[in-house]
Amino acid sequence: MKTASLCSATAALVISCLSLATVMHPTPAASEPAKNFIVGDSGGASHDAAVEAFFKPFAERTGIQVEYISPTSFGKLRAMVASGNVPVSLWDLNGRTYEQAVSLGLLEKLNWDQINPLPMFPEMRREYGFGMSYFSTGMAWKKGTVPIETWEDFWNVKKFPGKRCLPDRPDYVLPIALLADGVPLNKVYPLNVDRAFRSLDRIAPDVSVWWTSGQQPTELLADNEVAYCMAWNGRIMSKPGLEYDYNQALLDITFWGVPKGAPAGQVEAALLALRDWTIPKKQAIYAERVFYPGNSPQLTEHLSDQLRDKMPTSPENKDRQLLSDSKWWFQHGDEVERRWQEWKLAR
Amino acid sequence: MWLARMKTVKLRFAVMLAPLVLFVLLTFDLPVLTMLGWSFSNPTPTVRHYLYVFETPVYLKVIGKTLRIASLTTISCVILGYPLVYWLRGLSPRGRSICLVLVLLPFWISILIRTYAWIVILGNDGIVNRVLIAMRLVHQPVQFLYNELGVLIGMVNVLLPFFVLPLYAAFSRFDERCFQAAASLGGSRRAIFWRLFLPMSGPSVAASATLVFILSLGFYITPAVLGGGNVTMIANMLDVLINTLPRWETAAALSTILMITILILYMVNYRLRSGFSN
């Protein structure tokens, strides 16, 4: 008798657990925008600027609440989509990870009619990606350190002593490894991966830290832990004591993508917010704070001359930088990522 | 009658425990079993993930590095911890409890904060390097961080209490009369230590050392922060395999290898502990 009641109690518990699980995963209704959505971004200075320029005014105007998680990584996106539990409606990607995500089918197609954008640069308007801003990844150091001009200098530890700091990502490090090995800017793509890794073997002993979060380079430079870093221009330029150089830097685009399986109602709300990201006045507020210019051809009219020259997209700065070949990354991204990890682990 | 009552009592316990058992089964055992399943499927049953781990030099290298760092951590804990506990034994009860609180203190601080604190202390501009340069012992800052040395320092700091506390508990169970007897028979302090105390403490040192070794095999935060991306241990590699590559089957195979290693070591630890308490 008792055993029977124990069994039925256990069964009831299991059933209630299961039904709870179904309640927690409601099927999305697509007809109406939800009252909230979640954004995944890299955090830090650019996040603060994004909230101030775009998301906060949007929430005040529409009553749609925006929640945030950070930092983002490609692996996180991949794991999230693979698990089928996707709470996030917008995810930030760069040129390389965008291509990789498209090739692996991790993103939803964007409904551009629904976004209804103001004029945008054509390269910012993609089938699966909404280009939000340009950014640059290049050489940085603390004021008072001997300035360097090329990646060959960065690699030259004898002439420019001190430890180095590089990102823990092949898409940033492989191109500059070739530049450091004497490959001219216009010959970097298609990447000679073997040569890049050979070049990396030379600098690796002097790399103190392979950074994973954009905040690390600023801290390591400020604390005299390293002499030269490869870092994002916005993070460095928004800190008064640090110097950034556009020479031979990598010019890239940050995209918003919608992860596959994101809740439809929330995605609809998120797309409403994306229209704000095409308004040049708002982009000016953003660019003033983090030096990441947005997707509008009219943006420059809203920036002061001085600020315009500091942007990674100013004609003088743009010509000195390397544009990433997204096609190449689309084809080779996965294989290079694997090799990168093995190279790092093997040391 | 009495038997029947015992049965009801047992059943009542079973009912009370059922939610917990179910919770552990669903949230812990089931995922672990699923992981075990992954490591053997492709999706048909296979052992290729294990073969892959053992045939790829990278994985063997990381396993070797992890074992080396874990051994060095354990040895350092023994060298630092044993004299400390021996010295604690001779203190007054008051002094002993003060010292034990000092040993325990780091437990109340988050491991993340303790790890970052080492950056402040051991960095190029940190206290230690400033003192060394001021005393003209070195000309350039010593590179303590972002290498194996930094990881080792951080790990010993975290794990020392795990060595000291069980050893202290074991030492306090020693029968003082043994040493009194030895002294009354004319044994010098040195002879008593080398010929009596040290052999007596052997099993408990081994048990505490295995515990430290087991714990250090799974370290993630310390190598991630103090290694600066230059020192990869098994847990860091699992992170890459799960979150970056992602190659979950390989991660599952590696986790299983790690889990079996740890289970075997736990058995050793258990034997050692039950050995010296008898």
Side-chain angles (χ1 to χ4, degrees), chain A residues 85-143:
Chain A
N85 182 8
V86 183
V88 182
S89 299
L90 293 179
W91 193 263
D92 74 352
L93 297 154
N94 69 21
R96 194 266 302 195
T97 49
Y98 166 76
E99 291 295 340
Q100 215 178 332
V102 173
S103 76
L104 292 168
L106 303 179
L107 299 177
E108 300 272 8
K109 251 189 196 152
L110 292 180
N111 185 342
W112 280 99
D113 294 336
Q114 212 173 330
I115 297 172
N116 185 25
L118 297 177
M120 290 168 80
F121 287 118
E123 77 245 37
M124 302 298 254
R125 200 178 151 150
R126 307 282 181 92
E127 207 176 349
Y128 294 88
F130 176 98
M132 60 161 124
S133 61
Y134 295 91
F135 71 102
S136 167
T137 317
M139 289 171 269
W141 55 88
K142 197 178 181 174
K143 275 196 179 117

Side-chain angles (χ1 to χ4, degrees), chain B residues 86 115 210 249 253:
Chain B
Y86 186 72
T115 307
T210 1
E249 292 82 7

Side-chain angles (χ1 to χ4, degrees), chain B residues 117-184:
Chain B
W118 283 115
I119 294 182
V120 180
I121 295 170
L122 297 177
N124 284 348
D125 253 0
I127 304 165
V128 173
N129 268 322
R130 279 186 194 194
V131 169
L132 288 178
I133 289 171
M135 289 169 71
R136 291 173 194 279
L137 289 172
V138 292
H139 297 293
Q140 282 204 326
V142 181
Q143 191 76 31
F144 289 111
L145 297 177
Y146 311 121
N147 49 30
E148 275 187 25
L149 178 65
V151 175
L152 195 64
I153 292 172
M155 283 176 65
V156 170
N157 170 241
V158 173
L159 289 172
L160 198 56
F162 289 94
F163 180 79
V164 166
L165 293 178
L167 199 62
Y168 176 77
F171 280 9
S172 57
R173 278 197 301 269
F174 283 177
D175 195 338
E176 282 300 320
R177 285 171 304 182
C178 291
F179 309 118
Q180 286 161 6
S184 73

Side-chain angles (χ1 to χ4, degrees), chain A residues 20 31 40 46 54 60-61 99 108 112 120 126-127 134 181 209 213 234 257 271 288 303 337-338:
Chain A
L20 197 66
S31 56
S46 61
F54 303 104
E60 279 162 8
R61 197 179 72 237
E99 291 295 340
E108 300 272 8
W112 280 99
M120 290 168 80
R126 307 282 181 92
E127 207 176 349
Y134 295 91
D181 207 28
V209 178
S213 136
L271 294 188
E288 254 167 51
L303 294 175
E337 178 79 51
R338 210 156 273 192

Side-chain angles (χ1 to χ4, degrees), chain B residues 29-39 252:
Chain B
D29 295 335
L30 199 65
V32 169
L33 283 176
T34 320
M35 187 199 75
L36 256 173
W38 273 341
S39 74

Side-chain angles (χ1 to χ4, degrees), chain B:
Chain B
M1 184 62 201
W2 181 82
L3 211 67
R5 238 183 81 187
M6 267 304 284
K7 262 192 174 166
T8 352
V9 170
K10 267 191 180 164
L11 203 62
R12 207 172 283 162
F13 272 122
V15 173
M16 286 199 290
L17 278 176
L20 177 69
V21 171
L22 201 66
F23 180 77
V24 171
L25 277 176
L26 283 178
T27 60
F28 184 76
D29 295 335
L30 199 65
V32 169
L33 283 176
T34 320
M35 187 199 75
L36 256 173
W38 273 341
S39 74
F40 283 111
S41 69
N42 181 42
T44 49
T46 176
V47 288
R48 56 176 284 193
H49 305 308
Y50 289 90
L51 288 178
Y52 176 72
V53 167
F54 286 118
E55 278 167 1
T56 315
V58 169
Y59 298 114
L60 293 180
K61 203 162 177 176
V62 172
I63 291 173
K65 190 181 257 184
T66 308
L67 291 174
R68 188 175 70 235
I69 293 176
S71 312
L72 285 172
T73 307
T74 312
I75 293 168
S76 311
C77 279
V78 173
I79 292 172
L80 293 171
Y82 192 91
L84 176 69
V85 182
Y86 186 72
W87 175 74
L88 274 178
R89 259 188 98 250
L91 288 182
S92 67
R94 194 188 160 82
R96 219 179 295 165
S97 43
I98 290 174
C99 285
L100 278 180
V101 167
L102 287 177
V103 171
L104 267 171
L105 207 59
F107 263 133
W108 297 327
I109 305 166
S110 140
I111 180 171
L112 211 59
I113 293 171
R114 264 186 287 164
T115 307
Y116 276 103
W118 283 115
I119 294 182
V120 180
I121 295 170
L122 297 177
N124 284 348
D125 253 0
I127 304 165
V128 173
N129 268 322
R130 279 186 194 194
V131 169
L132 288 178
I133 289 171
M135 289 169 71
R136 291 173 194 279
L137 289 172
V138 292
H139 297 293
Q140 282 204 326
V142 181
Q143 191 76 31
F144 289 111
L145 297 177
Y146 311 121
N147 49 30
E148 275 187 25
L149 178 65
V151 175
L152 195 64
I153 292 172
M155 283 176 65
V156 170
N157 170 241
V158 173
L159 289 172
L160 198 56
F162 289 94
F163 180 79
V164 166
L165 293 178
L167 199 62
Y168 176 77
F171 280 9
S172 57
R173 278 197 301 269
F174 283 177
D175 195 338
E176 282 300 320
R177 285 171 304 182
C178 291
F179 309 118
Q180 286 161 6
S184 73
L185 289 171
S188 67
R189 281 188 64 146
R190 180 177 287 185
I192 293 174
F193 176 79
W194 285 107
R195 294 179 57 185
L196 192 58
F197 192 88
L198 196 65
M200 271 172 87
S201 62
S204 43
V205 168
S208 309
T210 1
L211 180 70
V212 168
F213 188 79
I214 289 167
L215 290 171
S216 54
L217 284 180
F219 258 54
Y220 173 76
I221 294 173
T222 313
V225 174
L226 297 179
N230 290 310
V231 183
T232 310
M233 291 177 66
I234 291 181
N236 308 91
M237 189 161 69
L238 287 176
D239 176 37
V240 169
L241 284 169
I242 295 164
N243 285 323
T244 311
L245 281 174
R247 217 186 282 172
W248 292 358
E249 292 82 7
T250 314
L254 254 174
S255 314
T256 310
I257 294 168
L258 184 65
M259 195 171 73
I260 291 171
T261 317
I262 286 176
L263 282 178
I264 293 172
L265 285 169
Y266 257 116
M267 253 158 57
V268 173
N269 176 272
Y270 180 78
R271 282 281 163 79
L272 285 168
R273 273 186 301 142
S274 52
F276 74 74
S277 61
N278 286 343

